[in-house]
Amino acid sequence: MSDITEKREGEFFEDVLKYFNRAAKFVNISEGLLEQIKYCNSVYRMRFPVKVGDDYQVVEAYRVEHSHHRLPTKGGIRFSTAVNQDEVMALAALMTYKCAIVDVPFGGAKGGIKVSPRKTSPEAMEKITRRYTSELIKKNFIGPGIDVPAPDYGSGEREMAWIADTYATFYPNELNALACVTGKPISSGGIRGRREATGLGVYYGVREALSVESDCQKWGLSTGISGKTFIIQGFGNVGFHSAKFIHEGGGKIIAIAEWDGAVYNANGIDPLALEAHRQKTGSITNFPGAENFDKYKALEIECDVLVPAALENQINKENVHNIRCKIIAEAANGPVTPEAEEVLIKKGVYIIPDIYLNAGGVTVSYFEWLKNLSHVRFGRLGKRYDEAAGKNMISMVEEMTGKSASDVQKSLIERGADEQDLVYSGLEETMISAYHDIRTEFVGNPEIPDLRTAAFVVAIKKIATSYNTLGVFP
Ligand code: GLU
């Protein structure tokens, strides 16, 4: 799990409102409806006691449902000592726009628990997570058709399994109980591909941006990920998997920054080897063959693509003038402040916005939710049938041509898709088509200043349409 110390400035929810208001100028939607869309519908702030050792620890926590235009609402739960109401509200709002952009039929939500997972024992973590779940149940803030949490910064499969188990204990007759949360371990109803989904989505998104020749020319780059230099900030679930897929796609990762330091190697870092080193030593620093680097200064190294994959406010008015990249790929939520963005846009830096780029997580969460509701693993019905059809096709072609197919040709055609294949291909299709939706909006209107604004425009239009369909605003 990543834990880059934040440099805060301004209010996060205010920043999201700024982005929203900028985009609202480009849509023809009534003031009332815009107001309904942009503010948070429900904010639940709680405090509950948990017995740790001989004493009680009082825990502050939140769940915010930003928009109910589609149900359930959806979004992760952040476990961090920096959690506050403003942050959870902003993250919930971003979830609404994210879901709309990738056509995932959910409203946006987010949770936060003010606790440090690194400093809390697994026993206390379990008590806190289960108690938080029962607080959500009490106020009807969780359920397969109500609000469905997921992992976020500081939480993962283990916490999601506790949530599912607590919910199922309260509702023993609920057939769809497992669909109350996503990001679960496979053994508790999770789906293959969810763990790496956000990072894989980041890879697909960056690859798509780098596939448009006319854009690459503008940035002074050749097309393709291969050979481009990358810097990754954050080596948690999102940063690690983004790095892994970018590296496998031929990208050269020259620096990786984490909460306790950064490493740099102009010839490239292998993320798998770095992870193995961290497993052994407890830190990414002192990685053989790489130089230790200041974790903030690492962002300022010259590169083609900078991938902030940690927390909000990382590129702000203090460091923006030192940023030397052509593209910023926002794997984290809100890593660039509006003030910094203004400077970057003037400098010609292309920002691939969070509400599109990190939507891979919620996309695969949607697949997991569907799997839980349908009670069947994707690929279970069709895999063998497709394999048999492939085998028949090969024998027919061999018979007709009198030639035999090679083993490689056979394995390509005979292979039926399993759950992971289907999840990857569903995610790839989602990220590619959503990229072109927002890019088309951007290039189609010269008044739209940047891709983030275009992404907000696309999202606002879709959300307004579903409100109109509901008949709330005829
Ligand atoms: N926490 C992730 C996000 O920020 C995933 C949310 C989900 O899967 O519901 O997008």
Side-chain angles (χ1 to χ4, degrees):
M1 169 230 337
S2 170
D3 190 9
I4 298 264
T5 313
E6 320 106 272
K7 289 182 176 176
R8 292 197 170 277
E9 67 170 22
E11 300 282 294
F12 193 7
F13 187 65
E14 270 301 313
D15 290 351
V16 179
L17 288 182
K18 274 186 203 156
Y19 290 139
F20 182 99
N21 290 338
R22 191 173 60 189
K25 290 188 218 122
F26 301 100
V27 296
N28 185 17
I29 293 167
S30 74
E31 271 306 311
L33 181 46
L34 287 173
E35 203 177 314
Q36 170 58 28
I37 295 172
K38 70 179 166 184
Y39 294 111
C40 294
N41 287 5
S42 328
V43 180
Y44 176 18
R45 178 180 176 189
M46 64 201 97
R47 293 170 81 87
F48 52 80
V50 175
K51 195 151 189 229
V52 182
D54 291 335
D55 204 359
Y56 287 94
Q57 183 184 338
V58 178
V59 179
E60 180 183 326
Y62 302 85
R63 184 74 185 170
V64 173
E65 292 172 358
H66 172 261
S67 176
H68 294 130
H69 71 289
R70 289 213 191 273
L71 289 171
T73 51
K74 189 86 189 77
I77 303 171
R78 180 165 288 201
F79 287 60
S80 150
T81 46
V83 156
N84 58 57
Q85 184 173 323
D86 170 70
E87 182 189 45
V88 185
M89 282 167 63
L91 293 167
L94 292 176
M95 285 308 303
T96 295
Y97 309 123
K98 200 183 294 188
C99 290
I101 287 168
V102 286
D103 276 331
V104 162
F106 297 143
K110 202 77 169 200
I113 305 181
K114 207 174 167 76
V115 65
S116 164
R118 278 191 297 117
K119 295 189 189 136
T120 309
S121 70
E123 293 71 30
M125 281 292 283
E126 178 167 359
K127 280 189 186 171
I128 291 168
T129 308
R130 287 186 182 275
R131 177 65 192 251
Y132 176 75
T133 310
S134 54
E135 294 295 325
L136 295 182
I137 293 171
K138 268 199 237 169
K139 294 276 192 282
N140 216 18
F141 265 74
I142 185 171
I146 299 168
D147 187 353
V148 179
D152 195 74
Y153 182 89
S155 62
E157 289 168 23
R158 179 184 69 164
E159 288 72 21
M160 302 308 118
W162 289 331
I163 293 173
D165 183 61
T166 308
Y167 186 85
T169 309
F170 273 82
Y171 297 102
N173 297 326
E174 164 65 274
L175 181 64
N176 294 322
L178 284 180
C180 74
V181 63
T182 60
K184 302 178 290 290
I186 310 287
S187 55
S188 314
I191 194 167
R192 284 159 192 84
R194 176 62 186 85
R195 189 183 296 166
E196 64 271 37
T198 311
L200 183 57
V202 168
Y203 166 72
Y204 287 142
V206 173
R207 190 190 66 183
E208 207 46 35
L210 283 169
S211 74
V212 181
E213 203 167 349
S214 54
D215 289 348
C216 289
Q217 267 167 9
K218 264 188 261 158
W219 310 322
L221 294 171
S222 59
T223 53
I225 281 201
S226 189
K228 303 288 177 304
T229 51
F230 288 79
I231 293 172
I232 314 275
Q233 185 207 30
F235 205 52
N237 181 43
V238 178
F240 168 70
H241 285 107
S242 302
K244 176 178 173 281
F245 291 111
I246 289 168
H247 176 74
E248 285 168 7
K252 198 201 272 187
I253 298 168
I254 56 171
I256 297 182
E258 249 294 66
W259 63 278
D260 58 347
V263 285
Y264 169 73
N265 182 346
N267 297 319
I269 295 165
D270 174 357
L272 288 179
L274 183 62
E275 177 54 16
H277 167 78
R278 174 166 64 181
Q279 292 292 334
K280 215 166 62 195
T281 65
S283 169
I284 65 164
T285 57
N286 303 321
F287 180 50
E291 239 176 84
N292 284 339
F293 222 85
D294 177 85
K295 68 179 177 187
Y296 293 119
K297 289 277 168 238
L299 301 190
E300 302 171 6
I301 299 169
E302 194 169 350
C303 66
D304 295 322
V305 188
L306 173 60
V307 186
L311 286 170
E312 59 268 21
N313 296 341
Q314 298 301 298
I315 299 162
N316 48 49
K317 61 180 183 232
E318 284 164 40
N319 63 358
V320 66
H321 294 284
N322 304 329
I323 299 292
R324 289 178 295 154
C325 62
K326 298 196 161 128
I327 297 174
I328 294 183
E330 293 188 338
N333 291 309
V336 177
T337 64
E339 296 78 8
E341 188 188 60
E342 218 174 281
V343 178
L344 293 164
I345 300 289
K346 273 197 200 125
K347 280 209 277 189
V349 176
Y350 189 68
I351 302 178
I352 312 177
D354 49 2
I355 52 172
Y356 158 69
L357 194 65
N358 69 34
V362 75
T363 302
V364 177
S365 276
Y366 171 47
F367 301 157
E368 180 176 333
W369 182 76
L370 291 174
K371 174 187 182 180
N372 296 149
L373 295 181
S374 65
H375 299 267
V376 65
R377 183 181 73 238
F378 290 108
R380 177 163 176 186
L381 297 185
K383 188 171 188 294
R384 282 220 173 247
Y385 186 86
D386 291 342
E387 279 173 7
K391 280 197 174 94
N392 288 339
M393 167 108 85
I394 286 175
S395 3
M396 211 167 80
V397 172
E398 286 182 335
E399 226 169 81
M400 286 165 77
T401 59
K403 290 181 185 160
S404 47
S406 70
D407 285 349
V408 177
Q409 285 167 329
K410 276 189 191 159
S411 69
L412 274 176
I413 295 174
E414 280 176 10
R415 198 168 172 280
D418 62 20
E419 184 173 74
Q420 182 180 307
D421 296 323
L422 293 168
V423 164
Y424 276 34
S425 98
L427 176 60
E428 185 172 12
E429 167 57 22
T430 303
M431 294 307 293
I432 292 175
S433 54
Y435 181 72
H436 291 286
D437 286 350
I438 61 173
R439 186 183 172 278
T440 305
E441 188 71 46
F442 179 37
V443 296
N445 184 349
E447 304 274 294
I448 294 183
D450 50 51
L451 193 65
R452 188 192 314 280
T453 308
F456 269 91
V457 168
V458 167
I460 295 168
K461 282 187 192 164
K462 288 191 190 174
I463 298 162
T465 308
S466 48
Y467 268 112
N468 287 328
T469 319
L470 290 174
V472 180
F473 285 84

